[in-house]
Amino acid sequence: MLKDFELVHLGGRTKTRCIINANEVLWVMPPREDQIGNTIVGVRDNGVVALSESMDKVISTLGVNLVKLRTHDQHRRKELISDVYVAPAAVSLAIRSIVGPFDTIKFVDGTTLDVADAQPLLVV
């Protein structure tokens, strides 16, 4: 399931074609104020890419099952909290934190993401 997007390079001035394997997507979220692009995508074993397409366009183009969650920041910084769309097939484990009211999602590539509540992943 290869999908065509426009990658935004560091600095935001240069864009190139980018093909993403939709089956390798871990999560999709909007960029923070200090990030480039219109959508940020976590890709298995490849880190994070910034795309010029809108979140709605990226999600619909990917055509994979994504579950909407809310990120968590332990320091409660509002600028670091946003919606995130997680691919349940890429989750290996979700653990409830013992230090606060949030869950840590561990993905199949070993990366992690803190979310307010991973429970919606169960209803997929």
Side-chain angles (χ1 to χ4, degrees), residues 73-93:
D73 178 65
Q74 292 184 37
H75 303 289
R76 307 242 193 284
R77 295 171 289 193
K78 290 182 181 181
E79 68 274 10
L80 298 181
I81 298 172
S82 70
D83 291 338
V84 60
Y85 294 82
V86 173
V91 174
S92 60
L93 181 67

Side-chain angles (χ1 to χ4, degrees), residues 23 44 65 86-92 108:
N23 294 323
R44 183 187 325 213
N65 182 32
V86 173
V91 174
S92 60
V108 293

